[in-house]
Amino acid sequence: MSHLIAPSILSGDFANLGKDIEMLNNSAADWIHVDIMDGVFVPNISFGFPVIKAIKKLAAKPLDVHLMIIKPDRYIHRFKEAGADNLIVHFEACTHLHRTIQTIKQEGMRAGVALNPHTAVNNLEAIIHDVDQLMIMSVNPGFGGQRFIEQTYQKIELVRNLIEKTGANTKIEVDGGVNLTNAPKLLAVGAHILVSGSFIFGSVNPMETISALKGIS
Ligand code: DX5
Ligand code: ZN
């Protein structure tokens, strides 16, 4: 498959979300990345169900919902109802990750697992077959606009090795500080899905920036 681009609406204009969603609908974006922060798992609060529902009404593309919250199991059904197509939970926030993944799938969503920069890839060896998308955090989660952690390339290689060794069909997603400088190398080492927020929305022409990220060969 050619790589996917998932712009993060966290860097959009919250007073004009409709305009940004329309731009994304008309762009080369594949998914819309939606960051949910609870102020406990991460030191920031973003937004909740009413905003996701409003985005869903306008979005012509799947919502890739990234939960930076503790005890995500309590809300899996609510996120499905709100319009999530992919639901990504953090490894560090789940005591019974296998069960959480099964519940997400039973709800008819793609199941994703995110790893913080300090979390080792081999933690997922036993369940990699069940994970639709494994998201490598290339910043510490909580804020847009942070600097990309260079160690990420090596981590992606480890994920790729794990996927090859186990024959799993897991896609590798990267989130945080992604731009046109690091994206070619991220794709070269094995990333399938690139999330990008401030680089896209802070650019002069976000639609062209999305096309440029999508057009990397
Ligand atoms: C960080 C979020 C990211 C963020 C990406 O906690 O999970 O999705 O919005 O934004 P940039 O691309 O600005 O790092
Ligand atoms: Zn995210």
Side-chain angles (χ1 to χ4, degrees), residues 33 35 66 68 135 175:
H33 187 79
D35 288 305
H66 176 194
M68 286 160 274
M135 193 159 85
D175 186 11

Side-chain angles (χ1 to χ4, degrees), residues 8 10 33 35 37 66 68 141-145 175-177 195-198:
S8 169
L10 185 67
H33 187 79
D35 288 305
M37 304 175 181
H66 176 194
M68 286 160 274
F143 304 92
D175 186 11
V195 176
S196 181
S198 54

Side-chain angles (χ1 to χ4, degrees), residues 59-70:
K61 303 189 173 174
L63 299 190
D64 187 51
V65 178
H66 176 194
L67 300 185
M68 286 160 274
I69 67 174
I70 61 165

